[in-house]
Amino acid sequence: MQPTLPGIHIVATGHYAPEKVITNDDLSHIVDTSDEWIKKRTGIERRHFSEGEKNLDLAVHAARQAIEQSGIDINELGACIVATFSPDYFVPSVACLLQRELGLPEEMPSFDMNAACSGFLYALHTARGILLQSEKRYALVVGSEIISKVLDMEDRGTCILFGDGAGAAVIELAEGKQYVSYLGARGDDTSIVCPNADGVRHIVHMDGSSVFRFAVGTVPVCVNKILEKAGVDKDEIDYYVCHQANKRIIESVAAKLEQPIEKFYMNMQEYGNTSAASVPIALSEMNQAGLFKPGMKVLCVGFGAGLTWAGALIEW
Ligand code: COA
């Protein structure tokens, strides 16, 4: 029998969103929409938009909080990964700039990864893989997005959905902690696209109903695959932390899994969809609110452009 590899312990978390709040009513002065429509179809009430802050600034706030809360010596870090699809530059990566800003050690890999809204869970998986091959036990994993910069503020189908923010976690390799993941991708350049070709403004285009169908179909599959791999019953899960794209998607997932909606954390009302930042912001808020107790089982799921999906069962 294969020896069980160490899982992941989330040692500390942090999150940050820019100060400027854009309400649904604010958007109703820009596009033909209403607070009622947005709330009913998505659950979103507000989102935060950067005013001059870069992706890096958001990442620094969230990461600093997580590192301070962890109490670790930064020289014990073995990786710095930032999940994002909205970096400040193609190069250098947000992660390298974050490393400089926080004075993190040079002897570790620092890089960005883009798996869109599944990004944080892809990064968590990658960080564990790096730590398993390293002498270090800790990694800094961040999801940071500045989506307001790539929104078409004339397209009511997309501009109402997204917001800016960052979430971070300091993770530790931990023997005896269960970690089970399931990641996937399907090449698709029609459902959600943000082009970067010469002469094309970088704006998000989306076929909302196709993404909706993809999400309500994929998330329960992801959850069931993980439960099966882990040998855990769905009732044993203390919290489901889904990507915060749409309240109706989460309600549909809860109904399909026949799980009480109270187990599904939701904060899209405050942030909108912050892509790779959405799951770590939720984890950080929950942690701050004292919702997690040692040994609790937390099942996180992300889905998004790519198309990509990712889930992870984490033992707190
Ligand atoms: N305000 C008012 N009306 C709007 C609107 C808005 N912001 N956006 C779209 N509409 C209109 C449409 O034009 C359409 O009008 P019509 O019937 O006259 O043509 C009508 O509302 C229905 O549009 P539809 O796209 O079918 O609505 P929907 O119920 O699918 O909701 C989304 C749209 C975008 C909220 C929904 O599809 C969704 O949340 N999809 C998933 C998106 C997502 O999560 N993306 C990120 C994944 S990482």
Side-chain angles (χ1 to χ4, degrees):
M1 208 171 118
Q2 288 265 28
T4 311
L5 294 171
I8 289 171
H9 170 219
I10 297 192
V11 180
T13 52
H15 67 279
Y16 176 78
E19 249 176 52
K20 189 177 174 71
V21 171
I22 306 285
T23 63
N24 292 344
D25 279 334
D26 292 335
L27 290 179
S28 73
H29 300 301
I30 301 172
V31 286
D32 182 12
T33 191
S34 66
D35 177 48
E36 193 197 352
W37 193 96
I38 301 172
K39 258 200 309 228
K40 191 163 160 227
R41 301 285 178 117
T42 69
I44 298 166
E45 296 174 22
R46 297 172 285 284
R47 70 286 292 142
H48 297 243
F49 277 5
S50 156
E51 279 188 307
E53 282 177 301
K54 294 186 162 187
N55 186 317
L56 173 66
D57 301 311
L58 276 52
V60 165
H61 280 290
R64 194 166 268 148
Q65 234 180 69
I67 289 174
E68 278 173 15
Q69 191 189 95
S70 75
I72 65 159
D73 173 352
I74 51 174
N75 292 306
E76 293 182 87
L77 285 170
C80 169
I81 309 180
V82 177
T84 186
F85 86 91
S86 55
D88 298 319
Y89 309 107
F90 288 129
V91 282
S93 65
V94 179
C96 285
L97 299 177
L98 181 65
Q99 183 190 23
R100 182 187 66 190
E101 287 300 307
L102 299 181
L104 304 182
E106 290 191 357
E107 284 194 340
M108 65 174 181
S110 287
F111 60 95
D112 291 355
M113 46 188 302
N114 177 357
C117 308
S118 313
F120 180 78
L121 296 171
Y122 264 63
L124 207 61
H125 190 80
T126 306
R128 175 172 177 254
I130 291 170
L131 292 180
L132 285 169
Q133 303 171 75
S134 145
E135 286 161 10
K136 303 285 175 68
R137 293 194 62 78
Y138 297 97
L140 175 63
V141 184
V142 181
S144 185
E145 303 282 12
I146 194 122
I147 307 174
S148 59
K149 296 283 176 290
V150 292
L151 282 182
D152 178 354
M153 294 309 291
E154 290 177 2
D155 176 9
R156 66 179 181 173
T158 54
C159 75
I160 56 141
L161 297 173
F162 297 93
D164 301 336
V170 171
I171 67 158
E172 178 187 16
L173 268 192
E175 282 85 8
K177 289 267 183 200
Q178 197 171 23
Y179 170 81
V180 177
S181 61
Y182 174 69
L183 277 66
R186 175 190 310 153
D188 171 297
D189 60 2
T190 52
S191 299
I192 315 176
V193 184
C194 184
N196 65 12
D198 266 353
V200 179
R201 211 188 126 220
H202 306 181
I203 48 171
V204 173
H205 303 272
M206 190 182 66
D207 175 350
S209 45
S210 140
V211 176
F212 194 94
R213 284 194 303 278
F214 162 70
V216 297
T218 306
V219 176
V221 171
C222 218
V223 168
N224 283 325
K225 289 255 185 202
I226 289 172
L227 292 173
E228 195 185 317
K229 271 170 92 172
V232 167
D233 189 86
K234 61 189 177 184
D235 293 334
E236 292 177 66
I237 301 298
D238 295 287
Y239 285 110
Y240 293 90
V241 182
C242 295
H243 170 45
Q244 303 289 308
N246 185 313
K247 188 178 180 194
R248 285 189 299 144
I249 293 175
I250 295 180
E251 285 169 347
S252 153
V253 169
K256 273 195 184 170
L257 293 170
E258 297 178 333
Q259 286 290 287
I261 195 70
E262 293 72 29
K263 280 192 179 183
F264 290 74
Y265 189 74
M266 288 196 239
N267 66 5
M268 79 286 288
Q269 63 277 9
E270 178 61 36
Y271 302 102
N273 177 346
T274 57
S275 194
S278 120
V279 169
I281 291 176
L283 289 174
S284 175
E285 279 195 341
M286 294 172 78
N287 196 19
Q288 214 170 56
L291 297 181
F292 297 130
K293 304 280 175 281
M296 274 188 167
K297 292 186 192 311
V298 183
L299 206 160
C300 305
V301 190
F303 57 88
L307 296 165
T308 56
W309 56 90
L313 171 61
I314 299 161
E315 198 180 326
W316 206 262

